[in-house]
Amino acid sequence: MEYLVTIDEFHGPLDLLLYLIKEAKIDIDRINVSEITQQYLDYIRAMEDLNLEIASEYLVMAAYLIYIKSRMMLPKGNLDGEKIDYEENPEEHLKRRLKLYKLFKDIIPYFQEQEAERENFLTKIPSDLSDELKIETKDFLLQDVDIYDLLSAYNRVLKRFSLHKPLKTKIKPQTITIDERINELSELFRNRKRLTFMEIFTDNITKEFIVVTFMAILELTKHHYIRLRQDALFQDIFIEYIEEEMREAHG
Amino acid sequence: MDRTQLLAALEGLLYVAGDEGFTKEELANILEISSKEVEELVEAYIELCTDEVRGITVINTAGHYRMATKKEYIDLFRKVYTGNKKRLSTAALEVIAIVAYKQPITRAEIEDIRGTNSENVIRKLVAMSFIKEVGRLDTPGKPILYGTTNDFLDYFNLSSLDELPELADDVEKEVDEEKDLFDSMTKIKITE
Amino acid sequence: MDRTQLLAALEGLLYVAGDEGFTKEELANILEISSKEVEELVEAYIELCTDEVRGITVINTAGHYRMATKKEYIDLFRKVYTGNKKRLSTAALEVIAIVAYKQPITRAEIEDIRGTNSENVIRKLVAMSFIKEVGRLDTPGKPILYGTTNDFLDYFNLSSLDELPELADDVEKEVDEEKDLFDSMTKIKITE
């Protein structure tokens, strides 16, 4: 029999024992403590041979297993004297500890499923309505909160942060065509007949966006949809929308 | 407000509250209807959200109704919101499970069940606000008693602790019955 | 995606984005449709929201589409806040928590961490003297650096900032240092 494991794969001696029992494919109720003890000790010895640090709790368990084993080898009643009548036999005690521990180990997949399930539902940060509702500063007082509410608030924010962080990096600069830009500009002129050159460059300006906008302006000028005007050198350039009925005259 | 307005008001309220959500009682208070009616109203709203044209729904975690995106489009939303990929470690889940079922519980009791030192895991879970001090045991040293928090319920998509599945009950019953004995055994171990 | 799916996806996306919203270009990119189609889609969504049973709609401000509660239901929130003051403090608590743990910190950094505009909340917290200006950052615009005050310590019953509960990351860092001992372990082979 050969197995490849490391001590940090286990969360303590009970975990290691459960692993050995599972490997041996037997019920906790039916384990032969002598056999399990041997495997457990082999494991610990191999660790020692490799000069690995073993948490003392693993050694305590080893001693306990040896105690159970030796006790079983002696004629009943001799080791504990009269105590045996009312005190649980250590082998049974160990089995029960294993069963109790296994109860929680077995429920872990449920928690993992629930953890994954919750991640399917995204929620948003609460909206700030303090402006709309004109809430007074004095009403802004905190009530019944303690330092752990503060910690919880911090954790909530952290969780949200990791939710939002990639947003900016994930979005590639949008490529925009001249036609699309012409449409956008036409939309703009529907509401305002006169705009300055700077006003049509809104947020997220990229070099590409400027070039496309420039081409769109030239295109619109060419077709007499707009007129460009600059009163003096380095002054604002005005873009004026030409009303439909006026276009004929220019055309 | 009539039914239509109540549904609209509910949607408006849940939108603003976002991840904070509202309890049944809070909604009853705001909308001036009974808790029972709130329940029915939320049910009706969730029913409306089953329409394929809708991308949101309402979940109930930690006793709070929270508006949330629908599961069906999570892959698309993940393109923008990658979320918290970090899952809890097995050790952390072991401790969480023990606290969830055995609360209030001391560190010594947790370590007894796990058979291993659990100080760091407990510290981490307290720092993540999944468990917290809920009192002290009246024994020498006044050990801290731990219990789960609302953040725990929300993280595991639970509306309340009642939703936890039962542990394999035959073993637990046995364990409970013999708990006194178990306790006396561990005490002996400690004094050794 | 077909039209129905696009509408549902749009609703989910706009919900999660909340007050931040999305630009037409961002939505076009995520949904893999043209800006023109996004416009039409949003129009169609707004049309759906005109149904009286709906309490939310979409507004377009500063080039961003944002989901918002219909005006007629905003007033309900007055009741939320007068009925339960604790609720009002969520945003405040978040900002105080960030300042407490990350001070000195600028408004931009706070907003980056919270993922939302926090000017209002910061202003109110300064007025309440929970936080205050503790210096200026030596970068263009010389942004204000915020820190917590003695009133903050008093309020939370702390004698100093050292008493703040530790954060999960700090526990992890410390435990990782210990864990290095274990990580150096090689796989061992046990042969019988």
Side-chain angles (χ1 to χ4, degrees):
Chain A
M1 196 179 177
E2 206 179 65
Y3 28 86
L4 231 54
V5 275
T6 66
I7 195 93
D8 51 346
E9 279 172 23
F10 299 106
H11 307 296
L14 289 178
D15 202 14
L16 174 54
L17 274 175
L18 276 185
Y19 169 80
L20 296 172
I21 292 164
K22 201 176 147 215
E23 283 292 292
K25 294 189 175 69
I26 38 174
D27 280 352
I28 292 174
D29 277 323
R30 295 217 190 95
I31 49 166
N32 180 332
V33 172
S34 311
E35 231 170 79
I36 288 295
T37 301
Q38 197 50 53
Q39 287 170 8
Y40 188 90
L41 294 179
D42 287 343
Y43 189 90
I44 299 294
R45 200 163 298 131
M47 302 286 300
E48 277 172 342
D49 288 347
L50 288 164
N51 281 324
L52 300 178
E53 203 170 314
I54 301 163
S56 61
E57 54 205 30
Y58 286 88
L59 299 175
V60 170
M61 179 58 79
Y64 192 61
L65 288 169
I66 292 168
Y67 163 69
I68 295 175
K69 196 178 162 184
S70 60
R71 202 175 173 280
M72 287 163 73
M73 278 153 58
L74 290 170
K76 273 191 189 349
N78 278 10
L79 200 71
D80 292 318
E82 291 160 24
K83 272 186 181 175
I84 202 149
D85 290 336
Y86 54 88
E87 205 170 84
E88 193 184 19
N89 142 357
E91 189 182 7
E92 290 308 313
H93 177 222
L94 177 66
K95 283 179 182 173
R96 205 176 43 228
R97 285 190 69 189
L98 280 168
K99 277 196 257 178
L100 178 65
Y101 177 60
K102 189 169 180 293
L103 222 55
F104 294 106
K105 283 232 61 115
D106 289 347
I107 202 78
I108 285 178
Y110 165 78
F111 282 97
Q112 285 170 327
E113 280 164 31
Q114 291 291 112
E115 182 183 35
E117 175 70 3
R118 178 63 176 88
E119 286 172 14
N120 287 326
F121 300 103
L122 302 182
T123 51
K124 81 177 240 300
I125 184 170
S127 306
D128 182 7
L129 292 183
S130 53
D131 264 0
E132 279 92 335
L133 298 175
K134 306 210 170 26
I135 289 157
E136 299 284 320
T137 302
K138 64 174 171 52
D139 292 331
F140 204 61
L141 283 168
L142 316 165
Q143 281 191 348
D144 311 322
V145 291
D146 63 21
I147 200 73
Y148 290 97
D149 292 316
L150 200 69
L151 181 64
S152 177
Y154 187 84
N155 284 325
R156 185 172 58 235
V157 160
L158 272 196
K159 211 167 118 204
R160 204 186 286 142
F161 183 39
S162 56
L163 214 69
H164 281 259
K165 205 157 121 191
L167 180 60
K168 278 166 190 125
T169 51
K170 268 278 163 101
I171 292 166
K172 288 166 276 162
Q174 165 70 7
T175 47
I176 182 164
T177 66
I178 297 172
D179 278 349
E180 281 169 350
R181 191 65 184 136
I182 288 174
N183 284 335
E184 285 180 6
L185 290 172
S186 308
E187 193 71 30
L188 222 53
F189 289 122
R190 199 166 298 161
N191 300 320
R192 289 180 58 192
K193 303 301 168 205
R194 201 166 107 134
L195 288 164
T196 69
F197 199 70
M198 291 317 289
E199 277 177 311
I200 60 173
F201 293 102
T202 46
D203 40 8
N204 43 46
I205 309 169
T206 60
K207 201 190 269 176
E208 188 198 12
F209 183 81
I210 296 171
V211 172
V212 169
T213 303
F214 204 75
M215 304 283 281
I217 298 262
L218 290 181
E219 201 66 22
L220 285 167
T221 318
K222 198 173 117 194
H223 291 102
H224 304 289
Y225 281 88
I226 55 170
R227 184 192 304 128
L228 300 176
R229 215 185 70 214
Q230 188 177 31
D231 293 337
L233 199 62
F234 302 124
Q235 273 198 352
D236 255 351
I237 299 170
F238 287 101
I239 307 167
E240 288 167 348
Y241 182 68
I242 302 171
E243 298 294 339
E244 232 170 291
E245 50 271 28
M246 297 295 290
R247 252 172 240 157
E248 294 293 318
H250 288 84
Chain B
M1 282 192 279
D2 65 23
R3 179 85 171 171
T4 304
Q5 287 171 316
L6 281 173
L7 279 166
L10 177 72
E11 184 171 61
L13 286 164
L14 288 177
Y15 169 70
V16 169
D19 56 20
E20 205 184 329
F22 281 111
T23 64
K24 200 188 300 174
E25 292 69 31
E26 285 171 329
L27 287 173
N29 201 9
I30 301 161
L31 299 171
E32 295 173 0
I33 55 177
S34 71
S35 295
K36 185 98 200 111
E37 285 168 310
V38 170
E39 259 177 64
E40 286 162 7
L41 193 69
V42 174
E43 282 307 315
Y45 181 73
I46 292 174
E47 181 60 31
L48 286 179
C49 290
T50 57
D51 189 328
E52 281 185 9
V53 84
R54 303 298 305 271
I56 51 177
T57 185
V58 172
I59 57 171
N60 181 353
T61 61
H64 286 70
Y65 292 120
R66 300 167 214 256
M67 190 177 271
T69 56
K70 266 193 195 170
K71 241 160 94 162
E72 287 91 316
Y73 296 99
I74 189 66
D75 289 342
L76 178 81
F77 303 143
R78 285 268 170 260
K79 271 167 74 179
V80 197
Y81 301 96
T82 55
N84 197 347
K85 278 279 148 60
K86 257 190 180 165
R87 297 276 173 88
L88 285 176
S89 70
T90 320
L93 288 168
E94 271 182 43
V95 173
I96 278 267
I98 293 168
V99 176
Y101 282 98
K102 295 285 176 190
Q103 59 190 312
I105 187 170
T106 64
R107 186 183 120 195
E109 288 170 312
I110 295 168
E111 293 183 336
D112 246 6
I113 293 174
R114 295 187 69 218
T116 189
N117 183 301
S118 308
E119 191 186 351
N120 284 329
V121 185
I122 292 172
R123 263 174 65 201
K124 172 118 194 258
L125 290 171
V126 170
M128 294 176 84
S129 54
F130 285 151
I131 63 174
K132 67 174 181 188
E133 178 179 335
V134 291
R136 296 265 179 168
L137 204 62
D138 199 15
T139 58
K142 303 242 177 253
I144 297 172
L145 286 164
Y146 294 99
T148 52
T149 63
N150 275 345
D151 287 355
F152 155 81
L153 289 173
D154 184 32
Y155 186 81
F156 289 102
N157 202 33
L158 297 166
S159 60
S160 79
L161 285 172
D162 299 338
E163 247 187 74
L164 285 174
E166 277 184 41
L167 289 176
D169 58 343
D170 51 334
V171 189
E172 173 151 58
K173 218 173 284 163
E174 192 188 322
V175 169
D176 275 350
E177 275 165 18
E178 294 175 35
K179 204 180 171 239
D180 292 340
L181 187 61
F182 179 73
D183 285 349
S184 65
M185 293 295 292
T186 44
K187 249 169 234 151
I188 289 164
K189 209 184 79 200
I190 291 162
T191 51
E192 262 165 23
Chain C
M1 283 194 285
D2 64 26
R3 179 85 171 172
T4 305
Q5 289 169 319
L6 280 172
L7 279 166
L10 176 73
E11 182 171 61
L13 284 168
L14 286 175
Y15 167 65
V16 189
D19 298 345
E20 295 296 296
F22 279 116
T23 64
K24 200 190 299 173
E25 292 72 30
E26 285 169 335
L27 287 172
N29 205 332
I30 299 162
L31 297 169
E32 295 173 1
I33 56 177
S34 72
S35 296
K36 188 97 199 117
E37 285 168 309
V38 170
E39 260 176 59
E40 286 162 9
L41 195 69
V42 174
E43 283 307 317
Y45 181 74
I46 293 173
E47 179 60 32
L48 285 178
C49 290
T50 56
D51 189 328
E52 281 186 5
V53 84
R54 302 299 305 272
I56 50 178
T57 186
V58 171
I59 53 172
N60 183 351
T61 52
H64 284 71
Y65 292 121
R66 295 164 222 264
M67 193 174 266
T69 294
K70 283 185 185 167
K71 273 199 207 75
E72 52 265 53
Y73 298 109
I74 286 283
D75 257 2
L76 284 173
F77 285 94
R78 215 172 290 282
K79 234 162 154 183
V80 177
Y81 294 136
T82 47
N84 180 359
K85 289 222 174 106
K86 186 169 176 177
R87 177 161 295 274
L88 189 61
S89 63
T90 311
L93 262 188
E94 286 183 11
V95 172
I96 294 177
I98 294 166
V99 175
Y101 282 105
K102 297 283 175 192
Q103 58 190 307
I105 187 168
T106 65
R107 187 185 112 195
E109 287 169 313
I110 295 169
E111 293 182 338
D112 204 30
I113 294 174
R114 280 193 77 215
T116 189
N117 182 303
S118 305
E119 190 182 353
N120 230 332
V121 186
I122 292 172
R123 214 176 48 230
K124 287 202 161 92
L125 288 173
V126 171
M128 289 166 70
S129 69
F130 268 116
I131 61 173
K132 64 172 182 195
E133 177 178 338
V134 292
R136 296 268 180 169
L137 203 62
D138 197 16
T139 57
K142 304 243 177 253
I144 296 173
L145 286 163
Y146 293 98
T148 50
T149 62
N150 283 336
D151 285 355
F152 158 81
L153 291 176
D154 281 351
Y155 189 86
F156 286 102
N157 237 331
L158 301 169
S159 57
S160 81
L161 286 173
D162 297 338
E163 279 182 31
L164 281 174
E166 59 182 348
L167 298 175
D169 277 357
D170 297 337
V171 178
E172 206 158 88
K173 227 172 278 163
E174 198 183 308
V175 174
D176 275 354
E177 276 160 26
E178 283 172 31
K179 228 192 132 197
D180 284 346
L181 280 173
F182 287 97
D183 288 340
S184 61
M185 288 184 187
T186 44
K187 295 240 172 201
I188 56 165
K189 196 157 89 178
I190 302 165
T191 336
E192 271 176 36

